[in-house]
Amino acid sequence: MTDLISAPGADTASNTAITEPLPPNDGTAPLEWAPREPAPKKHRTGLWVGIGVGALLIAAGAASTILIAPGTTIEGIPVGGLTPGAAADVVTAHLSEVQITLGEADGSPVVTGADLGASVDAKALADTAFADHPMWNLGSWMSEPIAAGITLDPEVAHATLRSLVPSSYEDAVDASVVFDTASSTYTTTPAAVGTGIDLDALTVSLVEAVGTDTNTGSFSGAPADAPAAVSDADAADLAGNLNTMLSTVGFYVGEERTVPVAPAVAATWIDVVDDDGELRVVADEGAIQATVDTLAAAVDRAPVAAETITNASGDVLRELTVGVNGRALGDTSTVASDFATKLESGNGVQPLDVTETPFETAALVREIDINLATQTVSAIENGSVVDSWYVSSGAGENATHTGSFQIGWKTSSQNMGNRDLTQAPNYYQPDVPWVMYFNGDEALHGVYWHSNWGVTMSHGCVGMPIDKAEWLYGWSPEGVTVNVHY
């Protein structure tokens, strides 16, 4: 039996085999088969390439959901292809590092955004850039620049600029308010314009520089007018308010300005201070307290009884004395501090707590008694005769009428009768003094043409001595009861 085997040194790459007879197997040597030709290996290059491209596409798709679209800029600063967090960092760093040369000459000072306190809400801008221009939205690529709204810190910027360009700075002078003792009013001193670098214009130059490739720019640094923080109008308004307050300043009981405070005194209580460009009033509680300590002497008082004249019916005819309640000053422990607060707000009215004692009223009931039988007149007050004297009443058919009447019209002098004596009442008496009518044309009055007292003489009036008539005229208000009887 003959088998085909691969002889040693045979060309395994060819399809031709070398044939030799097998040696006899004597049982001492193992029988060996020729090895099989190895199967060709499968080439997987395409598979690996496919996996790589797919992974890249997946990664790119994922990135497009977290990155800002290419071509997106914030105030000229490129942020495309960045996450919002990285974009915010780039914007902050770019703004901090921007350089502005102050002036055109060689060696002009240079400031950075950080030196000027430049700031922007980088996080909000980056979030907006991503929200409006995500990478996955191809339509948002290469968009218009996003305005940043860059601002400078005035205090930081001016401090830096003043140190670098001192010649551009001259402090403005605020208008002020002062008390003029001669006129006892508040007056003003005018403001003076200063100079400084215009931060608004500088901000424009800085924004332009941020948008350049070099992140640099220039600004003249020349002085610009710097108005005073407190203008003449501001000072005039405050002075006007203070002068209005001075006309009312004081301690009040109800509506009464019980203890007025003189303008010169009030001016020692308050100062007008310039608080970082704003005028305000500061009151001295201690100075006010010195006046509060004296209030009791000015406020406390005993009641004053009212005194009135009434008729027999109780009608008040005249107030002789005005009644005044008594009062005592209450707690004043917080008055000074309360008043200080009011003054600082422009209010010069400080109420006081008092305890009042009501006044009493004394009524003088006055009556005139005419006794035709005795031909006397008596002035009666509260039932007692104050004075009494003889008179001359109407005679005969002109007798004075009896009854209870009231004083009506009064006049200090009057012509009575008729100049034409042929006409009624057939008499004429000029300048009759102290006339008080009580019943039609019947009156009490003074008589200068006779002194026949105690005898009826007149045409119905009740005549009396002039001095008595004058006294009774003053003693008797209109409305006093007149009792005529026998």
Side-chain angles (χ1 to χ4, degrees), residues 423-435:
Q423 303 294 323
N426 305 112
Y427 74 91
Y428 177 70
Q429 202 67 50
D431 302 322
V432 177
W434 313 116
V435 180

Side-chain angles (χ1 to χ4, degrees), residues 372 375 392-400 456-463 486:
L372 300 179
Q375 288 292 291
S392 293
S393 64
E397 63 181 13
N398 296 316
T400 305
T456 57
M457 295 280 294
S458 74
H459 286 74
C461 289
V462 178
Y486 283 96

Side-chain angles (χ1 to χ4, degrees), residues 250-275:
F251 299 91
Y252 286 69
V253 175
E255 297 296 319
E256 176 192 84
R257 189 184 180 193
T258 307
V259 184
V261 176
V265 174
T268 65
W269 294 355
I270 59 178
D271 289 318
V272 179
V273 298
D274 188 336
D275 189 358

